[in-house]
Amino acid sequence: RKEVEQDPGPFNVPEGATVAFNCTYSNSASQSFFWYRQDCRKEPKLLMSVYSSGNEDGRFTAQLNRASQYISLLIRDSKLSDSATYLCVVNSAGGGNKLTFGTGTQLKVEL
Amino acid sequence: EAGVAQSPRYKIIEKRQSVAFWCNPISGHATLYWYQQILGQGPKLLIQFQNNGVVDDSQLPKDRFSAERLKGVDSTLKIQPAKLEDSAVYLCASSFPDRVLYEQYFGPGTRLTVT
């Protein structure tokens, strides 16, 4: 089983739609969780951290369910500029800031 | 603030040849990472440095890959000899080791094609 699993997509949605991505992780001792965004042929960039209480940043909401080892990202009112690959990222237990990346979920927002 | 610098941006070599990549992290970032990203996959950590010491190189194919960070700043990653399956983007990232957020800042990457 992969450490971090995501549906690769692509998710094709119309502009203005709400879309949700899910991710599961296998190591129950994992400590920190993130969503990174990667545009085509560009480097990954941190989108947001994910906390157990859930957190929101504008149109983006991230949730963590430790019991189910499940992370989600919700994007409301999708924009064309949201088209990218969204990488689910887990900081492995034991510290050292070792990040394990999922394969990414590709989002295409269309007119 | 200048970002993570990498060179070259693109490299095409034949199998069995050697290649080296260079990375200059963000000033003051003690932790440096090299990742390999194969098309359609997420980045995979190859090696992590804390200053000039290796923290984790468990996924580095040590029979052909080597990396160094001699003065705790710049780093080089070398492949010798290259195989077809080494075709990938090689990403360098850096971070503050003591930041709670653990954000890693990535460079633009080196796109390697092995023919």
Side-chain angles (χ1 to χ4, degrees), chain B residues 67-106:
Chain B
E68 59 183 14
R69 194 184 184 199
L70 293 176
K71 296 183 179 179
V73 180
D74 294 6
S75 177
T76 56
L77 176 69
K78 297 179 181 177
I79 307 175
Q80 181 179 8
K83 293 185 176 181
L84 294 176
E85 60 260 36
D86 297 333
S87 294
V89 177
Y90 290 85
L91 294 161
C92 179
S94 69
S95 71
F96 282 108
D98 57 346
R99 286 284 175 90
V100 175
L101 204 56
Y102 291 116
E103 180 173 1
Q104 294 187 14
Y105 296 83
F106 285 82

Side-chain angles (χ1 to χ4, degrees), chain B residues 4-63:
Chain B
V4 176
Q6 290 189 247
S7 68
R9 294 294 309 277
Y10 304 91
K11 190 75 177 177
I12 301 174
I13 62 172
E14 295 181 352
K15 59 183 178 183
R16 292 187 290 274
Q17 285 188 323
S18 302
V19 65
F21 312 129
W22 173 82
C23 172
N24 181 246
I26 292 172
S27 178
H29 281 193
T31 311
L32 184 148
Y33 315 79
W34 282 103
Y35 289 88
Q36 179 193 59
Q37 186 172 24
I38 293 172
L39 187 65
Q41 299 181 21
K44 183 184 84 170
L45 179 68
L46 293 176
I47 188 167
Q48 177 182 344
F49 292 95
Q50 179 82 6
N51 297 306
N52 60 352
V54 175
V55 174
D56 185 343
D57 64 356
S58 57
Q59 298 190 94
L60 186 73
K62 298 180 185 64
D63 57 333

